């Protein structure tokens, strides 16, 4: 029987449930268990694909093309697992499924209601997905972490809370535990418990009793003993069931912080985990994971050298918009034994118009770009700020400064080259102008122009390195492989009509799709490190297995010696983070992601089945 740990939150949203859920799963994986995770988002959207990054943070993309909540990125990074779109439940998905069943007559004429039909659909979904293998063992998970998004008491989350109340009886007491995350504000040095008392009271009124109360403090001071005892008394739990999560130097310390407060021992007793039969191989895997995790967190505290990276983006007001990019940079910095200093540059502030509108912001932005060890231009949509990105790319290219362009950053690097090397001054993407003089970036022919959700080129896709690319640094960082797989999310591509001119002038498209028609990796041969990828490699980075493009970029920003060292190590040790059965041809991947791809030369038509699982 699968064990379930539900993580809920109270008082405020964005309290850190995702990190605490991921950390709990990691700690239990260290004991030898196989762990999976599910995120519940109470919003009506079917998925996160149509939400702007400043609304809900990053849209995280999975192997199967699922556009999901950024917390699934936390699960994949911490647990080193590969999840599917069904690991993200939304109100939209559940209602869509229930309504489709009602239209088919599955409910035999009965009145369809929130209870029992919606709540049953939620429970059935969780039970089904929790049994899907997600790691290299190929076995059914022993334990599933279920994060209940939003805040207890919200109208939107009420059906999910009720479903969890019923679910505890469906699976049995020893197979269900609840961790409730609550805010403990620090008021002039005094830790206040009233918000936690109130939210736990509300939770109990809804029929759920917390087994652990994780008290989130947004200050560096830990939870005081007196505070812990007070919460224990007024929330009707033992003192050992109250743990504190204060601000630490890195979120990678959170698992060890929870471990030090006895959370693993408590959950072992509460869920009777000692009765699970674990092989010696799984126990050894858990011990090795714990050792490696402690090593990177300990080593991180001993680093003195810094590497300075300028992230030139257009959603810098909300840092969560680039969550996976930040994590991929951190993972690469760990490997290079450097502390990451990340500078945020709003790309529109680099544009000449800003010099007149706000000279201070303009000069501050350029001072940051000029002073960085490397420049990264991430993905995005829309024209705003793109001219500033192009100027930053031009600076990196001409000054031999390490550069990494992702998706939009890759496309704008092509535009910059066309303008300033090929002297095609009218170069532009058709995303920004319907008919530019030189449309070097064009709309992909198979993509829908009328539907937004789930209609991009999405999910894991192969990239084939060209036969004359043995010199490539990025290929060496991928271990010298002939083919690599990364996750995609885009509607535009390099115009095939311009590829030969771009390539002849020195822009090497060393990685292409299987047919050689779609440009996917670009690298400049006579530059310390100037790389662009149409894919989003940040989605596949892991703390213990950093993304090769990010690793090369950060290493080059440290020094060319560090880059050479990392290339040598990658040639010897690199292992792709994907399951072996996922690394197949694009046709198989497309079918697995519920798409049908009809190919006739360059004329493709793609349709997507927007089913809910």
């Amino acid at each position: 029987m699968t064990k379930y740990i539900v993580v809920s939150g109270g008082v405020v949203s964005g309290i850190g449930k995702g990190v605490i859920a991921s950390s709990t799963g990691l700690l239990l994986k260290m004991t030898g268990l196989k762990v999976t995770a599910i995120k519940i988002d109470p919003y009506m959207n079917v998925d996160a694909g149509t939400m702007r990054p400043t609304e809900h943070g990053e849209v995280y993309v999975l192997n199967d093309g699922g556009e999901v909540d950024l917390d699934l990125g936390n699960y994949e990074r911490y647990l080193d697992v590969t999840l599917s779109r069904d690991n993200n439940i939304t109100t939209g998905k559940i209602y869509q499924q229930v309504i489709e069943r009602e239209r088919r007559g599955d409910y035999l004429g009965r009145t369809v209601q929130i209870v029992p039909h919606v709540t049953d659909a939620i429970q059935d979904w969780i039970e089904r997905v929790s049994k899907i293998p997600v790691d290299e063992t190929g076995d059914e998970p022993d334990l599933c972490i279920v994060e209940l998004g939003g805040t207890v008491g919200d109208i939107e989350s009420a059906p999910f809370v009720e479903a969890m109340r019923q679910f505890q009886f469906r699976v049995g007491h020893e197979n269900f535990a609840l961790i409730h995350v609550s805010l403990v504000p620090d008021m002039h040095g005094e830790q206040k418990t009233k918000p936690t008392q109130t939210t736990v009271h509300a939770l109990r009124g809804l029929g759920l009793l917390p087994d652990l109360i994780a008290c989130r403090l947004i200050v560096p001071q830990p939870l005081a003993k007196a505070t812990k005892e007070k919460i224990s008394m007024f929330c009707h739990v033992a003192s050992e069931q109250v743990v504190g999560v204060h601000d630490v130097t890195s979120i990678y310390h959170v698992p060890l912080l929870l471990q030090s407060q006895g959370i693993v021992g408590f959950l072992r007793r509460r869920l009777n985990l000692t009765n699970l039969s674990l092989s010696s191989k799984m126990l050894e895997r858990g011990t090795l994971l714990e050792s490696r995790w402690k090593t990177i967190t300990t080593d991180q505290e001993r680093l003195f050298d810094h590497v300075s990276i300028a992230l030139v983006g257009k959603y810098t007001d909300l840092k969560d918009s680039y969550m996976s990019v930040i994590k991929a940079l951190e993972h690469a910095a760990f490997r290079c034994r450097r502390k990451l200093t990340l500078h945020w540059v709003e790309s529109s502030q680099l544009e000449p118009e800003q010099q007149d509108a706000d000279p201070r912001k303009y000069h501050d932005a350029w001072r940051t770009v000029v002073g960085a060890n490397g420049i990264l231009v991430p993905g995005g949509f829309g024209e705003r700020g793109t001219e500033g990105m192009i100027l930053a790319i031009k600076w990196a290219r001409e000054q031999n400064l390490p550069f990494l362009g992702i998706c939009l950053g890759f496309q704008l690097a092509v535009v910059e080259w066309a303008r300033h090397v090929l002297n095609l001054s009218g170069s532009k993407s058709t995303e920004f102008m319907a008919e530019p003089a030189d449309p070097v970036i064009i709309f992909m022919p198979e993509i829908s122009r009328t539907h937004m959700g789930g209609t991009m080129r999405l999910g894991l896709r192969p990239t084939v390195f060209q036969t004359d690319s043995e010199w490539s640094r990025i290929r060496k960082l991928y271990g010298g492989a002939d083919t690599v797989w990364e996750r995609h999310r885009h509607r535009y591509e390099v115009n095939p009509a311009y590829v030969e001119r771009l390539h002849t002038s020195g822009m090497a498209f060393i990685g292409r799709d299987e047919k050689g028609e779609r440009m996917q990796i670009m690298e400049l041969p006579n530059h310390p490190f100037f790389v662009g990828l149409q894919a989003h490699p940040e989605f596949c980075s892991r703390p213990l297995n950093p993304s090769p493009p990010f690793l090369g970029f950060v290493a080059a920003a440290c020094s060319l010696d560090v880059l050479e060292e990392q290339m040598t190590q990658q040639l010897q040790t690199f292992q792709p983070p994907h399951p072996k059965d996922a690394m197949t041809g694009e046709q198989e991947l497309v079918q697995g992601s519920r798409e049908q791809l009809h190919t006739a030369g360059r004329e493709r038509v793609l349709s997507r089945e927007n089913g809910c699982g």
Side-chain angles (χ1 to χ4, degrees):
M1 180 68 183
T2 305
K3 308 285 185 178
Y4 297 90
I5 297 177
V6 175
V7 180
S8 61
V11 185
V12 295
S13 60
I15 200 171
K17 297 187 299 295
V19 173
I20 291 171
S22 303
S23 299
T24 302
L26 175 66
L27 290 173
L28 292 169
K29 188 168 182 175
M30 288 176 180
T31 68
L33 296 174
K34 298 180 290 293
V35 182
T36 187
I38 294 173
K39 173 66 186 294
I40 294 174
D41 283 301
Y43 47 67
M44 282 297 299
N45 304 62
V46 173
D47 57 34
T50 58
M51 291 189 285
R52 59 180 182 266
T54 52
E55 176 78 16
H56 198 70
E58 169 188 80
V59 177
Y60 189 79
V61 179
L62 300 168
N63 277 5
D64 65 358
E67 297 171 284
V68 296
D69 184 79
L70 58 82
D71 277 320
L72 272 80
N74 281 328
Y75 307 152
E76 287 201 335
R77 285 187 288 268
Y78 276 73
L79 303 176
D80 193 20
V81 294
T82 301
L83 304 177
S84 74
R85 69 179 76 231
D86 288 346
N87 289 82
N88 192 192
I89 304 175
T90 68
T91 298
K93 284 182 179 180
I94 294 295
Y95 276 53
Q96 187 178 61
Q97 184 187 67
V98 170
I99 290 170
E100 286 178 354
R101 291 187 65 189
E102 183 270 333
R103 294 288 85 187
R104 290 197 304 264
D106 291 359
Y107 297 117
L108 304 177
R110 292 191 294 270
T111 302
V112 180
Q113 297 176 293
I114 302 298
V115 180
H117 301 104
V118 169
T119 53
D120 281 352
I122 294 167
Q123 296 175 73
D124 293 344
W125 191 305
I126 290 172
E127 270 201 305
R128 173 177 61 84
V129 175
S130 68
K131 301 183 187 306
I132 298 173
V134 293
D135 61 17
E136 73 279 5
T137 66
D139 296 331
E140 182 180 313
D142 302 305
L143 185 139
C144 179
I145 306 288
V146 181
E147 182 189 345
L148 177 55
T151 306
V152 169
D154 292 346
I155 292 175
E156 293 88 349
S157 62
F160 295 100
V161 174
E162 171 59 21
M164 293 301 96
R165 184 194 69 78
Q166 297 174 23
F167 193 63
Q168 63 186 325
F169 300 109
R170 179 190 284 206
V171 299
H173 180 71
E174 73 169 19
N175 297 316
F176 181 96
L178 174 65
I179 300 174
H180 190 61
V181 185
S182 177
L183 178 69
V184 175
D186 189 290
M187 303 282 288
H188 309 292
E190 182 183 359
Q191 296 174 354
K192 295 292 187 178
T193 66
K194 193 62 70 178
T196 299
Q197 294 178 46
T198 302
T199 185
V200 171
H201 182 268
L203 190 67
R204 288 177 175 277
L206 295 169
L208 287 169
L209 311 180
D211 295 287
L212 284 167
I213 300 175
C215 300
R216 179 75 176 93
L217 299 100
I218 51 175
V219 292
Q221 286 71 41
L223 187 70
K225 183 179 179 181
T227 308
K228 185 175 183 177
E229 291 174 350
K230 188 173 182 181
I231 291 172
S232 168
M233 178 185 298
F234 286 99
C235 293
H236 196 62
V237 293
S239 182
E240 68 166 342
Q241 293 173 261
V242 182
V243 296
V245 185
H246 59 274
D247 279 354
V248 288
T249 54
S250 166
I251 63 168
Y252 301 105
H253 287 283
V254 173
L256 304 182
L257 178 64
L258 293 173
Q259 186 185 53
S260 68
Q261 298 177 73
I263 185 175
V264 176
F266 175 81
L267 289 173
R268 270 179 165 162
R269 295 189 298 274
R270 172 64 182 78
L271 294 172
N272 201 15
L273 297 177
T274 53
N275 280 357
L276 293 177
S277 178
L278 300 176
S279 67
S280 58
K281 182 179 179 181
M282 295 305 295
L283 292 171
E284 289 172 9
R285 187 181 76 153
T287 302
L288 178 61
L289 174 63
E290 181 176 11
S291 173
R292 294 184 68 194
W293 194 273
K294 286 182 177 179
T295 297
I296 66 166
T297 54
T298 303
D299 288 352
Q300 185 187 5
E301 296 300 313
R302 298 172 180 169
L303 300 177
F304 297 101
D305 295 331
H306 289 251
V307 59
S308 173
I309 302 298
L311 190 155
V312 182
K314 58 196 302 182
Y315 312 122
T316 56
D317 287 345
L318 181 64
K319 305 300 187 285
D320 278 0
S321 301
Y322 300 112
M323 175 66 76
S324 291
V325 171
I326 298 168
K327 299 308 174 190
L329 288 170
E330 289 176 350
H331 304 162
F334 291 165
R335 174 71 69 82
C336 295
R337 301 188 60 77
R338 296 292 193 281
K339 280 188 178 294
L340 175 67
T341 303
L342 186 58
H343 301 285
W344 297 88
V345 179
E346 179 64 36
S347 57
S348 59
Q349 294 175 2
L350 297 171
E351 298 173 356
E353 296 79 7
Q354 188 69 25
Q355 189 169 10
D356 297 325
D358 195 329
R360 182 182 61 80
K361 288 184 177 179
Y362 174 81
H363 290 293
D364 284 348
W366 271 109
R367 188 178 298 112
T368 302
V369 169
V370 171
N373 301 127
I375 295 174
L376 188 150
V377 177
F381 296 92
E383 186 174 11
R384 181 184 63 82
T386 54
E387 292 301 322
M389 293 179 180
I390 290 172
L391 291 170
I393 293 167
K394 183 174 185 287
W395 174 265
R397 180 177 61 80
E398 294 180 342
Q399 301 301 317
N400 285 326
L401 197 66
F403 165 78
L404 180 61
I406 301 167
C407 198
L408 177 64
F410 159 71
Q411 295 171 5
L412 294 179
V414 175
V415 172
E416 189 279 324
W417 182 274
R419 286 184 187 179
H420 302 118
V421 177
L422 292 178
N423 296 317
L424 303 177
S425 58
S427 297
K428 215 173 181 69
S429 169
T430 57
E431 181 181 2
F432 314 137
M433 181 183 291
E435 296 182 359
D438 288 291
V440 293
I441 305 296
I442 59 171
F443 196 85
M444 294 169 59
E446 70 267 31
I447 301 302
S448 170
R449 290 182 179 271
T450 58
H451 290 77
M452 299 300 290
T455 57
M456 289 183 275
R457 185 169 184 250
L458 290 162
L460 197 69
R461 306 294 167 106
T463 294
V464 179
F465 282 109
Q466 302 304 289
T467 54
D468 58 349
S469 63
E470 288 76 12
W471 57 269
S472 166
R473 292 186 174 90
I474 193 68
R475 184 172 181 178
K476 292 174 182 175
L477 289 159
Y478 276 108
D482 295 324
T483 304
V484 296
W485 285 259
E486 294 287 3
R487 296 174 182 175
H488 288 248
R489 184 177 188 250
H490 60 104
R491 288 191 176 92
Y492 294 82
E493 65 174 337
V494 178
N495 189 340
Y498 285 82
V499 168
E500 186 59 35
R501 294 170 68 183
L502 291 163
H503 185 78
T504 303
S505 63
M507 175 166 275
F509 294 105
I510 59 168
R512 309 187 183 194
D513 71 346
E514 291 174 311
K515 295 181 179 296
E517 298 172 346
R518 186 157 280 152
M519 305 304 109
Q520 299 192 161
I521 300 181
M522 170 275 295
E523 184 173 359
L524 297 187
N526 300 316
H527 193 285
F529 191 89
F530 194 98
V531 172
L533 296 96
Q534 185 62 77
H536 287 265
E538 67 271 22
F539 293 143
C540 297
S541 186
R542 305 285 186 266
L544 301 174
N545 188 13
S547 163
F550 281 86
L551 177 59
F553 170 62
V554 171
C558 296
S559 72
L560 291 181
D561 288 341
V562 175
L563 177 58
E564 288 291 338
E565 176 188 332
Q566 293 302 326
M567 286 192 297
T568 300
Q569 183 174 343
Q570 289 289 99
L571 282 168
Q572 297 170 352
T573 64
F574 174 68
Q575 292 292 329
H578 316 294
K580 290 183 179 179
D581 60 358
M583 294 186 289
T584 61
E586 182 149 0
Q587 189 67 40
E588 291 83 358
L589 291 169
V590 165
Q591 291 171 354
S593 64
R594 306 174 185 176
E595 298 172 3
Q596 292 84 43
L597 185 64
H598 307 287
T599 304
R602 289 291 293 168
E603 294 300 319
R604 301 184 183 91
V605 179
L606 178 148
S607 62
R608 172 178 289 274
E609 174 195 342
N610 282 315
C612 57

